[in-house]
């Protein structure tokens, strides 16, 4: 791996930084798809599924028989692991449930905040060549705990027109209402605006390819979305207490995702940096996804030498990594220095894959530096709030001068009138 | 006002419904502005301010002298009202503060969620002809309570190159760090990407015109935004206990905002409907903003006759109004039936302007039906979360089979390797 100083890294990072605002070519394709789905509904969905997934479907919805078939296909070992993961994910997210609250005053003023679940949520699960049952659990469980009324999944079918059995059993285990055989921008359009077969939802969540991400940006505002996911990253901060082979294995686990994935290690110790780099090289050879890993590390793999641990944390906060591993002494003591990170893994025995699959916290995390302003997916993504205001006649009377002053200052005299009319009318 | 049945309203609503996804002409203008600001920085900002606001500025930042001048200009009555409003807003939002939390298990597993404030927030405040000091308080106070490090405001200058003194004193009272004389899409671009004078922020909030709203949609993803605000609405549900003149005054207070504003009343009582309609007519004549009100009511003012209160609530949930007034008997008992509303006002003495200026809950609310999936602005808008995961060697050992099974099921063998290497290495 490429070893560099923090200064070199910063110079490179700044020259690389680019915004997502402009993407005219992709926009044209994606907008055409959205427009066609809005105009032609299911017909457009069947058309695009044939075009992009290479399969002519009879219906979009996964049937009861297909669910039963899936259950017979998957192994007991897989089901046990899935059930344990579900338990851990549910236990963690249970802590995120929010309560409605109220405050009361003696003068008859009641203020509060009511929390309601979204009525319908749609979850995109990538498919085609690969299957991601973990994506199903991580997205469905918080929605379920929030109390969402209807939860559906869309996922692209394989060339045989089927959905992976692992995804289907995970959907059933998590309590999904419907699974649609549908991928790409057309799936996002269908969830956002509805078709004959697919109900419009309040929010669309889940990862996807560039078309899915761009379609989510376009429909945002007409429907809520979780985030626009970009390439993902790991940042490992290591000191003398870090096991170099562990750090190397974790950098490699990120690199195998795709060629855009970014694996970054930061250390104050040049000897450790060399050891990690060597271990990366020696482990890579034995890994199945060697070709992807090599391209990813070549483009985006870096080991940064920081002068001090404090400089290391500065670099972390500038990167705002999706995954941050603190393989350092007393890592919990350093949490206060971390401003920007999706998930923080502490010590030698909390590798990223533990969080991806099992520990409980969500694996849908802010990517590409968006941890500066966003959070892991959670129960809070599937609720919304309403403010509550009740005043007594007396309390409004006492507030009326101030409200009228402020309304008049903004030139909104009908606002002032709404207060005045209550002061002047004698209905006691 | 136009009186109709719930059925007639639904038919009209469906035929009117339109998505925001496509807006090619506006997009071209807005994207040009964003691109120019990214390329030319401050120079582009001065250029657009001359072009759109008709003023050549010497500098973008409001000076200390201008703040002092503003303090001498505003009246004591105004300051007292503003200070009371600030107190109420702060007291309400104090309840929204979130704490970091952790759970610990005997086997060395620690999981948790760390809450951090955003480092920088930018607030757009509409300006030009009008001044909105209430917008300043409602947007700055939750950011301040969240602990945001730097808070700036951008607001378009008047033709004299100045910002309204009411806005400036509100900014100072709320604790803003900087105020920029800058409006439109160029202000959004500057906050999103930074220029020589203006620091890039993590999140942009606040209302604005069509250019501002569209620019926010475009920069979304590179920076967080609160929402894309559209025309706003009030929905008054009234039964025999409602004072018709009060209901009329409140519908009018919404209608004066702009010609797109929507004022809707729902009642089960036709006699009451007639009375409210008559009172609307008679009050309108005495109001300053009569011309706007008449156009708004003509286009979007409706009184809907529902067969039952239950049907009235169904219509409310379909509209998902920004402001909902329940002018009915025992309104608090009906809160459980309200799924979708930005703010809910209970009884005859909680009119919308009370919430706009004074009571405490935020007046930045989801508009145009987006209360289906979004919430009032709050302290939660200015924080983000990081998940925390710590495992002991033993706990990871026990989880390892399951994690490896799940990783292999997804074909991510380097993920499995990261777990395997920890199981096989003997470092005890």
């Amino acid at each position: 791996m490429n070893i560099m100083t923090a200064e070199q890294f910063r110079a490179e990072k700044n020259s690389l930084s680019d915004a997502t605002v402009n993407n005219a070519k992709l926009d044209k394709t994606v907008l055409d798809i959205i427009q066609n789905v809005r105009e032609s509904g299911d017909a457009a969905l069947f058309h695009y599924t044939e075009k992009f997934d290479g399969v002519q479907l009879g219906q979009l919805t996964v049937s009861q028989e297909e669910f039963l078939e899936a259950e017979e296909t998957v192994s007991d070992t897989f089901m046990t692991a899935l059930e344990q993961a579900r338990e851990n994910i549910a236990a963690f997210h249970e802590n995120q449930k929010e309560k409605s609250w109220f405050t009361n005053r003696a003068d008859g003023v009641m203020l509060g905040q009511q929390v309601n679940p979204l009525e319908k949520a749609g979850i995109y699960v990538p498919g085609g060549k690969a299957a991601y049952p973990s994506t199903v659990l991580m997205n469905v469980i918080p929605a379920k705990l929030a109390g969402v009324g209807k939860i559906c999944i869309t996922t692209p079918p394989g060339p045989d027109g089927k959905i992976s059995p692992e995804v289907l059993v995970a959907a059933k285990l998590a309590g999904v209402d419907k699974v649609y055989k549908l991928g790409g921008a057309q799936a996002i359009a269908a969830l956002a605006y509805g078709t004959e077969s697919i109900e419009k939802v309040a929010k669309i969540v889940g990862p996807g390819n560039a078309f899915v991400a761009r379609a989510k940006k376009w429909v945002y505002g007409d429907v809520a979305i979780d985030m626009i996911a970009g390439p993902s990253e790991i940042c490992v901060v290591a000191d003398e207490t870090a096991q170099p082979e562990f750090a190397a294995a974790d950098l490699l686990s990120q690199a195998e995702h795709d060629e855009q994935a970014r694996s970054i290690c930061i250390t104050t110790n040049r000897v450790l940096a060399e050891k990690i780099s060597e271990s990366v090289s020696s482990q890579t050879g034995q890994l199945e996804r060697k070709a992807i890993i090599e391209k990813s590390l070549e483009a985006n793999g870096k080991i940064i030498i920081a002068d001090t641990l404090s400089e290391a944390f500065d670099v972390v906060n500038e990167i705002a990594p999706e995954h941050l591993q603190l393989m350092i002494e007393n890592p919990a003591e350093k949490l206060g220095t971390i401003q920007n990170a999706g998930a923080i893994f502490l010590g030698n025995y909390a590798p990223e894959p533990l969080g991806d699959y099992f520990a409980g916290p969500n694996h849908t995390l802010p990517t590409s530096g968006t941890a500066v302003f966003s959070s892991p997916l959670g129960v809070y993504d599937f609720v919304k709030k309403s403010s509550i205001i009740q005043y007594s006649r007396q309390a409004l009377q006492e507030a009326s001068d101030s409200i009228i002053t402020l309304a008049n200052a903004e030139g909104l005299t009908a606002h002032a009138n709404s207060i005045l009319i209550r002061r002047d009318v004698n209905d006691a």
Side-chain angles (χ1 to χ4, degrees), chain A:
Chain A
M1 283 175 79
N2 190 356
I3 302 181
M4 54 174 59
T5 66
E7 263 172 50
Q8 286 168 326
F9 174 75
R10 283 180 170 128
E12 196 175 283
K13 183 169 181 274
N14 287 334
S15 72
L16 281 174
S17 79
D18 196 22
T20 63
V21 68
N22 235 338
N23 202 335
K25 203 174 158 190
L26 186 55
D27 283 338
K28 181 163 168 22
T29 309
V30 166
L31 274 175
D32 275 353
I33 293 173
I34 293 173
Q35 206 52 45
N36 280 343
V37 171
R38 292 191 67 202
E39 281 165 18
S40 311
D42 282 356
L45 302 182
F46 285 117
H47 164 75
Y48 287 121
T49 304
E50 191 172 351
K51 184 171 172 185
F52 296 127
D53 304 302
V55 54
Q56 263 194 313
L57 293 177
Q59 59 169 22
L60 293 166
T61 312
V62 170
S63 69
Q64 214 43 52
E65 292 72 44
E66 287 173 300
F67 274 107
L68 292 173
E69 202 184 306
E71 276 175 31
E72 284 164 18
T73 311
V74 300
S75 71
D76 289 350
T77 319
F78 175 79
M79 278 312 294
T80 306
L82 201 68
E83 277 163 17
Q84 286 182 341
R86 184 199 53 171
E87 244 175 69
N88 290 343
I89 297 165
F92 179 83
H93 287 83
E94 189 71 40
N95 294 297
Q96 293 178 335
K97 282 189 180 174
E98 289 175 86
K99 291 193 175 72
S100 298
W101 55 261
F102 298 93
T103 63
N104 284 291
R105 278 186 353 212
D107 63 354
V109 171
M110 195 229 342
L111 302 174
Q113 185 174 282
Q114 177 163 301
V115 182
N116 274 326
L118 304 185
E119 294 177 88
K120 293 168 199 160
I123 292 161
Y124 190 92
V125 177
K129 278 174 288 181
Y132 298 106
S134 65
T135 304
V136 174
L137 297 189
M138 290 290 184
N139 285 271
V140 176
I141 291 169
K144 209 70 188 165
L145 285 173
V148 174
K150 284 189 189 175
I151 303 171
C152 70
I153 281 178
T154 62
T155 186
D160 57 353
K162 298 213 166 174
I163 304 299
S164 110
E166 284 79 11
V167 163
L168 291 185
V169 296
K172 190 158 183 199
L173 184 68
V176 164
D177 297 287
K178 271 188 180 165
V179 178
Y180 299 111
K181 299 175 180 181
L182 188 63
Q186 59 274 21
I188 302 303
L191 291 174
Y193 303 108
T195 70
E196 302 91 317
S197 301
I198 296 185
E199 259 188 292
K200 174 179 168 52
V201 300
K203 185 162 189 169
I204 304 173
V205 303
N209 63 18
F211 293 92
V212 168
R214 200 67 185 174
K216 281 169 78 179
K217 181 174 168 98
W218 274 105
V219 301
Y220 167 74
D222 290 335
V223 64
I225 67 171
D226 54 345
M227 65 179 75
I228 302 165
S232 72
E233 60 274 321
I234 191 174
C235 181
V236 176
V237 178
D239 71 7
E240 295 69 24
T241 66
Q243 293 270 355
E245 322 83 72
F246 295 1
D250 304 343
L251 293 166
L252 288 164
S253 78
Q254 180 63 31
E256 81 170 331
H257 273 297
D258 56 66
E259 291 157 17
Q260 281 76 48
R262 296 193 299 166
S263 302
I264 297 169
C265 178
I266 312 177
T267 179
T268 50
N269 187 320
R270 188 168 280 273
V271 177
L272 185 68
E274 299 288 355
K275 279 192 196 159
I276 292 172
S277 181
E278 279 158 29
S279 186
V280 163
S281 302
S282 71
Q283 289 185 51
T284 303
Q286 298 149 40
L287 292 169
E288 252 178 54
R289 294 165 70 90
K290 191 180 162 209
I292 294 173
I293 290 170
E294 281 173 347
K295 282 191 187 161
S296 163
L297 290 181
E298 170 71 24
N300 307 305
K302 292 172 205 321
I303 301 179
I304 300 167
I305 311 286
D307 287 337
T308 60
L309 211 49
S310 161
E311 188 187 39
F313 291 131
D314 287 345
V315 175
V316 166
N317 285 323
E318 288 160 28
I319 296 174
E322 183 187 12
H323 308 94
L324 172 64
Q325 288 188 199
L326 298 183
M327 301 177 78
I328 57 176
E329 207 174 0
N330 300 324
E333 289 177 11
K334 301 298 180 187
L335 283 174
T337 63
I338 307 299
Q339 293 296 316
N340 305 321
I344 309 172
F345 299 78
L346 308 182
N348 269 308
Y349 291 96
E352 190 203 303
L354 166 67
D356 286 345
Y357 290 111
F358 196 77
N362 214 284
H363 79 190
T364 304
L365 297 167
T367 58
S368 310
T370 57
V372 164
F373 52 76
S374 54
S375 301
L377 191 75
V379 173
Y380 38 78
D381 276 294
F382 297 99
V383 299
K384 69 228 154 69
K385 292 147 190 164
S386 302
S387 303
I388 312 289
I389 302 178
Q390 180 164 282
Y391 259 53
S392 62
R393 190 179 182 206
Q394 178 212 338
L396 187 67
Q397 183 78 27
E398 280 162 21
S400 62
D401 281 345
S402 290
I403 303 173
I404 291 164
T405 299
L406 293 168
N408 285 332
E410 297 193 353
L412 295 174
T413 46
H415 282 60
N417 176 61
S418 145
I419 304 298
L420 270 170
I421 203 169
R422 285 168 163 88
R423 193 161 67 173
D424 300 339
V425 165
N426 190 343
D427 76 328

